[in-house]
Amino acid sequence: MTATTLSNDFKEIISTRHSVRVYDPSVKISREEMTEILEEATLAPSSVNLQPWRFLVIDSPEGKATLEELAPGNKNQVTTSSAVIAVFGDMNAFDNADYIMSTDVEKGFMPQEIKEQIMANYTDLFGRIPAQAFREMILIDGGLVSMQLMLSARAHGYDTNPIGGYDKSRIAEAFGMEKERYVPVMLISVGKAAKEPRKTSRLPIDRIAQWK
């Protein structure tokens, strides 16, 4: 499988996904293909379908230079990857609830009266939910979309690595985003591995699962 070659073999996708830290800097991902990867990623589930994830695709020299200062321990990934995607959770995600459900009505996914009932219930719920609880919710949703993004990239023939080692307290502001609104989830480097990634073992299921 080569870059930009889409695979539909799920077993192959999940078994060939490995964390890659050094990429071939000559490989670039077009905005069109990156958009397709993101679209596939956003098919991930989210709490009440709020889709609170937000993406910052960092692929310009200027953007990468800014990111290098925030993630000095991951310089190789930043400089050699085709792009680094910063995944955020949006604390204002509920602002899109009416738009999302109105679109469902237009597409025939739900009747108008059900939409109005759900919106009334959710408006009450999210008007009362503590900010910390909402933050935890969107972080979980951000994790779900991040994993799906990495699998989507692998299906397109690219390699990825999730990155937690960066200055989360500064990244939003560094790229002109509202610090209080956008909660950092992780960075994901994307590109084509410069060499075959090292394989890793997994714990056997009988050590991590129980049946009752």
Side-chain angles (χ1 to χ4, degrees), residues 120-147:
N121 292 340
Y122 286 166
T123 300
D124 174 65
L125 172 64
F126 288 104
R128 293 183 288 105
I129 190 170
Q132 182 60 31
F134 189 76
R135 178 187 175 96
E136 291 171 1
M137 184 190 87
I138 64 176
L139 283 173
I140 291 172
D141 292 343
L144 291 170
V145 79
S146 295
M147 187 68 252

PDB file of all heavy atoms in Angstrom, residues 120-147:
ATOM      1  N   ALA A 120     -35.089  21.137  23.364  1.00  0.00           N
ATOM      2  CA  ALA A 120     -35.547  21.663  24.649  1.00  0.00           C
ATOM      3  C   ALA A 120     -34.892  20.903  25.799  1.00  0.00           C
ATOM      4  O   ALA A 120     -34.430  21.508  26.780  1.00  0.00           O
ATOM      5  CB  ALA A 120     -37.067  21.566  24.743  1.00  0.00           C
ATOM      6  N   ASN A 121     -34.825  19.579  25.666  1.00  0.00           N
ATOM      7  CA  ASN A 121     -34.202  18.760  26.717  1.00  0.00           C
ATOM      8  C   ASN A 121     -32.715  19.060  26.852  1.00  0.00           C
ATOM      9  O   ASN A 121     -32.194  19.204  27.960  1.00  0.00           O
ATOM     10  CB  ASN A 121     -34.408  17.276  26.414  1.00  0.00           C
ATOM     11  CG  ASN A 121     -35.854  16.839  26.527  1.00  0.00           C
ATOM     12  OD1 ASN A 121     -36.662  17.513  27.173  1.00  0.00           O
ATOM     13  ND2 ASN A 121     -36.199  15.730  25.891  1.00  0.00           N
ATOM     14  N   TYR A 122     -32.029  19.154  25.713  1.00  0.00           N
ATOM     15  CA  TYR A 122     -30.593  19.381  25.748  1.00  0.00           C
ATOM     16  C   TYR A 122     -30.255  20.804  26.199  1.00  0.00           C
ATOM     17  O   TYR A 122     -29.232  21.031  26.851  1.00  0.00           O
ATOM     18  CB  TYR A 122     -29.982  19.099  24.377  1.00  0.00           C
ATOM     19  CG  TYR A 122     -29.896  17.629  24.038  1.00  0.00           C
ATOM     20  CD1 TYR A 122     -29.643  17.196  22.733  1.00  0.00           C
ATOM     21  CD2 TYR A 122     -30.066  16.658  25.025  1.00  0.00           C
ATOM     22  CE1 TYR A 122     -29.557  15.856  22.415  1.00  0.00           C
ATOM     23  CE2 TYR A 122     -29.988  15.306  24.715  1.00  0.00           C
ATOM     24  CZ  TYR A 122     -29.740  14.914  23.409  1.00  0.00           C
ATOM     25  OH  TYR A 122     -29.657  13.580  23.099  1.00  0.00           O
ATOM     26  N   THR A 123     -31.089  21.766  25.827  1.00  0.00           N
ATOM     27  CA  THR A 123     -30.850  23.140  26.274  1.00  0.00           C
ATOM     28  C   THR A 123     -30.911  23.216  27.790  1.00  0.00           C
ATOM     29  O   THR A 123     -30.087  23.881  28.436  1.00  0.00           O
ATOM     30  CB  THR A 123     -31.876  24.099  25.655  1.00  0.00           C
ATOM     31  OG1 THR A 123     -31.764  24.058  24.221  1.00  0.00           O
ATOM     32  CG2 THR A 123     -31.648  25.533  26.133  1.00  0.00           C
ATOM     33  N   ASP A 124     -31.867  22.495  28.371  1.00  0.00           N
ATOM     34  CA  ASP A 124     -31.961  22.453  29.829  1.00  0.00           C
ATOM     35  C   ASP A 124     -30.752  21.729  30.424  1.00  0.00           C
ATOM     36  O   ASP A 124     -30.134  22.218  31.377  1.00  0.00           O
ATOM     37  CB  ASP A 124     -33.253  21.734  30.242  1.00  0.00           C
ATOM     38  CG  ASP A 124     -33.338  21.540  31.754  1.00  0.00           C
ATOM     39  OD1 ASP A 124     -33.416  22.540  32.491  1.00  0.00           O
ATOM     40  OD2 ASP A 124     -33.315  20.372  32.198  1.00  0.00           O
ATOM     41  N   LEU A 125     -30.400  20.583  29.835  1.00  0.00           N
ATOM     42  CA  LEU A 125     -29.285  19.785  30.351  1.00  0.00           C
ATOM     43  C   LEU A 125     -27.973  20.558  30.310  1.00  0.00           C
ATOM     44  O   LEU A 125     -27.257  20.643  31.313  1.00  0.00           O
ATOM     45  CB  LEU A 125     -29.149  18.495  29.543  1.00  0.00           C
ATOM     46  CG  LEU A 125     -27.903  17.643  29.840  1.00  0.00           C
ATOM     47  CD1 LEU A 125     -27.930  17.126  31.268  1.00  0.00           C
ATOM     48  CD2 LEU A 125     -27.812  16.481  28.844  1.00  0.00           C
ATOM     49  N   PHE A 126     -27.647  21.113  29.155  1.00  0.00           N
ATOM     50  CA  PHE A 126     -26.358  21.767  29.010  1.00  0.00           C
ATOM     51  C   PHE A 126     -26.330  23.154  29.644  1.00  0.00           C
ATOM     52  O   PHE A 126     -25.263  23.748  29.789  1.00  0.00           O
ATOM     53  CB  PHE A 126     -25.945  21.811  27.536  1.00  0.00           C
ATOM     54  CG  PHE A 126     -25.545  20.463  27.011  1.00  0.00           C
ATOM     55  CD1 PHE A 126     -26.396  19.736  26.193  1.00  0.00           C
ATOM     56  CD2 PHE A 126     -24.334  19.897  27.367  1.00  0.00           C
ATOM     57  CE1 PHE A 126     -26.046  18.480  25.725  1.00  0.00           C
ATOM     58  CE2 PHE A 126     -23.966  18.642  26.905  1.00  0.00           C
ATOM     59  CZ  PHE A 126     -24.817  17.921  26.083  1.00  0.00           C
ATOM     60  N   GLY A 127     -27.491  23.636  30.029  1.00  0.00           N
ATOM     61  CA  GLY A 127     -27.529  24.869  30.812  1.00  0.00           C
ATOM     62  C   GLY A 127     -27.168  24.623  32.263  1.00  0.00           C
ATOM     63  O   GLY A 127     -26.815  25.558  32.992  1.00  0.00           O
ATOM     64  N   ARG A 128     -27.252  23.348  32.694  1.00  0.00           N
ATOM     65  CA  ARG A 128     -26.996  22.996  34.099  1.00  0.00           C
ATOM     66  C   ARG A 128     -25.685  22.247  34.305  1.00  0.00           C
ATOM     67  O   ARG A 128     -25.177  22.196  35.412  1.00  0.00           O
ATOM     68  CB  ARG A 128     -28.144  22.129  34.637  1.00  0.00           C
ATOM     69  CG  ARG A 128     -29.471  22.849  34.761  1.00  0.00           C
ATOM     70  CD  ARG A 128     -30.543  21.963  35.373  1.00  0.00           C
ATOM     71  NE  ARG A 128     -30.994  20.903  34.467  1.00  0.00           N
ATOM     72  CZ  ARG A 128     -30.666  19.632  34.569  1.00  0.00           C
ATOM     73  NH1 ARG A 128     -29.854  19.229  35.532  1.00  0.00           N
ATOM     74  NH2 ARG A 128     -31.133  18.743  33.714  1.00  0.00           N
ATOM     75  N   ILE A 129     -25.145  21.646  33.255  1.00  0.00           N
ATOM     76  CA  ILE A 129     -23.971  20.796  33.424  1.00  0.00           C
ATOM     77  C   ILE A 129     -22.751  21.629  33.825  1.00  0.00           C
ATOM     78  O   ILE A 129     -22.495  22.694  33.248  1.00  0.00           O
ATOM     79  CB  ILE A 129     -23.691  20.002  32.116  1.00  0.00           C
ATOM     80  CG1 ILE A 129     -22.626  18.926  32.350  1.00  0.00           C
ATOM     81  CG2 ILE A 129     -23.269  20.931  30.987  1.00  0.00           C
ATOM     82  CD1 ILE A 129     -22.477  17.971  31.174  1.00  0.00           C
ATOM     83  N   PRO A 130     -22.002  21.209  34.838  1.00  0.00           N
ATOM     84  CA  PRO A 130     -20.799  21.955  35.247  1.00  0.00           C
ATOM     85  C   PRO A 130     -19.766  21.996  34.122  1.00  0.00           C
ATOM     86  O   PRO A 130     -19.648  21.065  33.326  1.00  0.00           O
ATOM     87  CB  PRO A 130     -20.283  21.152  36.444  1.00  0.00           C
ATOM     88  CG  PRO A 130     -21.454  20.377  36.934  1.00  0.00           C
ATOM     89  CD  PRO A 130     -22.272  20.051  35.717  1.00  0.00           C
ATOM     90  N   ALA A 131     -19.026  23.084  34.076  1.00  0.00           N
ATOM     91  CA  ALA A 131     -18.022  23.258  33.021  1.00  0.00           C
ATOM     92  C   ALA A 131     -17.009  22.118  33.011  1.00  0.00           C
ATOM     93  O   ALA A 131     -16.603  21.650  31.944  1.00  0.00           O
ATOM     94  CB  ALA A 131     -17.311  24.597  33.193  1.00  0.00           C
ATOM     95  N   GLN A 132     -16.603  21.640  34.186  1.00  0.00           N
ATOM     96  CA  GLN A 132     -15.617  20.562  34.255  1.00  0.00           C
ATOM     97  C   GLN A 132     -16.168  19.265  33.675  1.00  0.00           C
ATOM     98  O   GLN A 132     -15.460  18.536  32.972  1.00  0.00           O
ATOM     99  CB  GLN A 132     -15.165  20.335  35.701  1.00  0.00           C
ATOM    100  CG  GLN A 132     -14.093  19.253  35.861  1.00  0.00           C
ATOM    101  CD  GLN A 132     -12.812  19.559  35.094  1.00  0.00           C
ATOM    102  OE1 GLN A 132     -12.448  20.726  34.915  1.00  0.00           O
ATOM    103  NE2 GLN A 132     -12.127  18.516  34.641  1.00  0.00           N
ATOM    104  N   ALA A 133     -17.447  18.994  33.933  1.00  0.00           N
ATOM    105  CA  ALA A 133     -18.071  17.793  33.382  1.00  0.00           C
ATOM    106  C   ALA A 133     -18.160  17.885  31.863  1.00  0.00           C
ATOM    107  O   ALA A 133     -17.935  16.896  31.149  1.00  0.00           O
ATOM    108  CB  ALA A 133     -19.460  17.592  33.983  1.00  0.00           C
ATOM    109  N   PHE A 134     -18.472  19.074  31.364  1.00  0.00           N
ATOM    110  CA  PHE A 134     -18.542  19.263  29.911  1.00  0.00           C
ATOM    111  C   PHE A 134     -17.152  19.119  29.294  1.00  0.00           C
ATOM    112  O   PHE A 134     -16.990  18.510  28.235  1.00  0.00           O
ATOM    113  CB  PHE A 134     -19.129  20.636  29.581  1.00  0.00           C
ATOM    114  CG  PHE A 134     -19.422  20.826  28.121  1.00  0.00           C
ATOM    115  CD1 PHE A 134     -20.522  20.224  27.541  1.00  0.00           C
ATOM    116  CD2 PHE A 134     -18.591  21.605  27.315  1.00  0.00           C
ATOM    117  CE1 PHE A 134     -20.805  20.389  26.187  1.00  0.00           C
ATOM    118  CE2 PHE A 134     -18.857  21.770  25.968  1.00  0.00           C
ATOM    119  CZ  PHE A 134     -19.971  21.171  25.398  1.00  0.00           C
ATOM    120  N   ARG A 135     -16.152  19.650  29.982  1.00  0.00           N
ATOM    121  CA  ARG A 135     -14.775  19.539  29.511  1.00  0.00           C
ATOM    122  C   ARG A 135     -14.363  18.072  29.407  1.00  0.00           C
ATOM    123  O   ARG A 135     -13.755  17.653  28.415  1.00  0.00           O
ATOM    124  CB  ARG A 135     -13.844  20.290  30.465  1.00  0.00           C
ATOM    125  CG  ARG A 135     -12.357  20.219  30.104  1.00  0.00           C
ATOM    126  CD  ARG A 135     -11.520  20.842  31.210  1.00  0.00           C
ATOM    127  NE  ARG A 135     -10.107  20.699  30.953  1.00  0.00           N
ATOM    128  CZ  ARG A 135      -9.338  21.610  30.384  1.00  0.00           C
ATOM    129  NH1 ARG A 135      -9.872  22.754  30.012  1.00  0.00           N
ATOM    130  NH2 ARG A 135      -8.048  21.400  30.185  1.00  0.00           N
ATOM    131  N   GLU A 136     -14.681  17.277  30.423  1.00  0.00           N
ATOM    132  CA  GLU A 136     -14.343  15.860  30.399  1.00  0.00           C
ATOM    133  C   GLU A 136     -15.062  15.148  29.252  1.00  0.00           C
ATOM    134  O   GLU A 136     -14.488  14.263  28.601  1.00  0.00           O
ATOM    135  CB  GLU A 136     -14.703  15.228  31.737  1.00  0.00           C
ATOM    136  CG  GLU A 136     -13.819  15.705  32.894  1.00  0.00           C
ATOM    137  CD  GLU A 136     -14.307  15.235  34.250  1.00  0.00           C
ATOM    138  OE1 GLU A 136     -15.331  14.508  34.293  1.00  0.00           O
ATOM    139  OE2 GLU A 136     -13.684  15.595  35.263  1.00  0.00           O
ATOM    140  N   MET A 137     -16.293  15.544  28.992  1.00  0.00           N
ATOM    141  CA  MET A 137     -17.070  14.934  27.915  1.00  0.00           C
ATOM    142  C   MET A 137     -16.419  15.190  26.558  1.00  0.00           C
ATOM    143  O   MET A 137     -16.247  14.270  25.745  1.00  0.00           O
ATOM    144  CB  MET A 137     -18.492  15.486  27.921  1.00  0.00           C
ATOM    145  CG  MET A 137     -19.419  14.861  26.900  1.00  0.00           C
ATOM    146  SD  MET A 137     -20.996  15.765  26.760  1.00  0.00           S
ATOM    147  CE  MET A 137     -20.517  17.010  25.542  1.00  0.00           C
ATOM    148  N   ILE A 138     -16.036  16.443  26.309  1.00  0.00           N
ATOM    149  CA  ILE A 138     -15.480  16.749  24.993  1.00  0.00           C
ATOM    150  C   ILE A 138     -14.065  16.209  24.831  1.00  0.00           C
ATOM    151  O   ILE A 138     -13.622  15.961  23.703  1.00  0.00           O
ATOM    152  CB  ILE A 138     -15.534  18.261  24.680  1.00  0.00           C
ATOM    153  CG1 ILE A 138     -14.655  19.076  25.632  1.00  0.00           C
ATOM    154  CG2 ILE A 138     -16.973  18.765  24.715  1.00  0.00           C
ATOM    155  CD1 ILE A 138     -14.613  20.562  25.290  1.00  0.00           C
ATOM    156  N   LEU A 139     -13.358  15.982  25.934  1.00  0.00           N
ATOM    157  CA  LEU A 139     -12.047  15.342  25.832  1.00  0.00           C
ATOM    158  C   LEU A 139     -12.189  13.883  25.405  1.00  0.00           C
ATOM    159  O   LEU A 139     -11.384  13.373  24.617  1.00  0.00           O
ATOM    160  CB  LEU A 139     -11.304  15.434  27.166  1.00  0.00           C
ATOM    161  CG  LEU A 139     -10.683  16.791  27.506  1.00  0.00           C
ATOM    162  CD1 LEU A 139     -10.140  16.787  28.927  1.00  0.00           C
ATOM    163  CD2 LEU A 139      -9.579  17.154  26.510  1.00  0.00           C
ATOM    164  N   ILE A 140     -13.206  13.205  25.925  1.00  0.00           N
ATOM    165  CA  ILE A 140     -13.463  11.824  25.502  1.00  0.00           C
ATOM    166  C   ILE A 140     -13.814  11.795  24.022  1.00  0.00           C
ATOM    167  O   ILE A 140     -13.291  10.982  23.245  1.00  0.00           O
ATOM    168  CB  ILE A 140     -14.594  11.198  26.342  1.00  0.00           C
ATOM    169  CG1 ILE A 140     -14.118  10.984  27.783  1.00  0.00           C
ATOM    170  CG2 ILE A 140     -15.051   9.869  25.728  1.00  0.00           C
ATOM    171  CD1 ILE A 140     -15.215  10.549  28.737  1.00  0.00           C
ATOM    172  N   ASP A 141     -14.692  12.704  23.605  1.00  0.00           N
ATOM    173  CA  ASP A 141     -15.074  12.769  22.190  1.00  0.00           C
ATOM    174  C   ASP A 141     -13.861  13.098  21.323  1.00  0.00           C
ATOM    175  O   ASP A 141     -13.712  12.577  20.213  1.00  0.00           O
ATOM    176  CB  ASP A 141     -16.160  13.818  21.989  1.00  0.00           C
ATOM    177  CG  ASP A 141     -17.486  13.423  22.629  1.00  0.00           C
ATOM    178  OD1 ASP A 141     -17.666  12.227  22.937  1.00  0.00           O
ATOM    179  OD2 ASP A 141     -18.342  14.307  22.818  1.00  0.00           O
ATOM    180  N   GLY A 142     -12.980  13.955  21.826  1.00  0.00           N
ATOM    181  CA  GLY A 142     -11.766  14.285  21.091  1.00  0.00           C
ATOM    182  C   GLY A 142     -10.853  13.091  20.927  1.00  0.00           C
ATOM    183  O   GLY A 142     -10.177  12.935  19.902  1.00  0.00           O
ATOM    184  N   GLY A 143     -10.822  12.226  21.933  1.00  0.00           N
ATOM    185  CA  GLY A 143     -10.040  11.000  21.828  1.00  0.00           C
ATOM    186  C   GLY A 143     -10.606  10.054  20.782  1.00  0.00           C
ATOM    187  O   GLY A 143      -9.853   9.408  20.035  1.00  0.00           O
ATOM    188  N   LEU A 144     -11.931   9.974  20.724  1.00  0.00           N
ATOM    189  CA  LEU A 144     -12.570   9.103  19.743  1.00  0.00           C
ATOM    190  C   LEU A 144     -12.259   9.550  18.318  1.00  0.00           C
ATOM    191  O   LEU A 144     -11.904   8.740  17.459  1.00  0.00           O
ATOM    192  CB  LEU A 144     -14.088   9.088  19.966  1.00  0.00           C
ATOM    193  CG  LEU A 144     -14.584   8.402  21.235  1.00  0.00           C
ATOM    194  CD1 LEU A 144     -16.075   8.668  21.443  1.00  0.00           C
ATOM    195  CD2 LEU A 144     -14.331   6.894  21.172  1.00  0.00           C
ATOM    196  N   VAL A 145     -12.392  10.853  18.060  1.00  0.00           N
ATOM    197  CA  VAL A 145     -12.149  11.336  16.697  1.00  0.00           C
ATOM    198  C   VAL A 145     -10.667  11.249  16.349  1.00  0.00           C
ATOM    199  O   VAL A 145     -10.310  11.017  15.189  1.00  0.00           O
ATOM    200  CB  VAL A 145     -12.675  12.782  16.522  1.00  0.00           C
ATOM    201  CG1 VAL A 145     -11.726  13.827  17.105  1.00  0.00           C
ATOM    202  CG2 VAL A 145     -12.950  13.081  15.057  1.00  0.00           C
ATOM    203  N   SER A 146      -9.790  11.379  17.344  1.00  0.00           N
ATOM    204  CA  SER A 146      -8.350  11.286  17.089  1.00  0.00           C
ATOM    205  C   SER A 146      -7.953   9.886  16.640  1.00  0.00           C
ATOM    206  O   SER A 146      -7.169   9.715  15.696  1.00  0.00           O
ATOM    207  CB  SER A 146      -7.565  11.680  18.347  1.00  0.00           C
ATOM    208  OG  SER A 146      -7.769  13.043  18.664  1.00  0.00           O
ATOM    209  N   MET A 147      -8.493   8.872  17.306  1.00  0.00           N
ATOM    210  CA  MET A 147      -8.187   7.505  16.898  1.00  0.00           C
ATOM    211  C   MET A 147      -8.712   7.235  15.497  1.00  0.00           C
ATOM    212  O   MET A 147      -8.032   6.609  14.667  1.00  0.00           O
ATOM    213  CB  MET A 147      -8.808   6.516  17.896  1.00  0.00           C
ATOM    214  CG  MET A 147      -8.396   5.059  17.649  1.00  0.00           C
ATOM    215  SD  MET A 147      -6.652   4.725  17.978  1.00  0.00           S
ATOM    216  CE  MET A 147      -5.996   4.515  16.330  1.00  0.00           C
TER     217      MET A 147
END
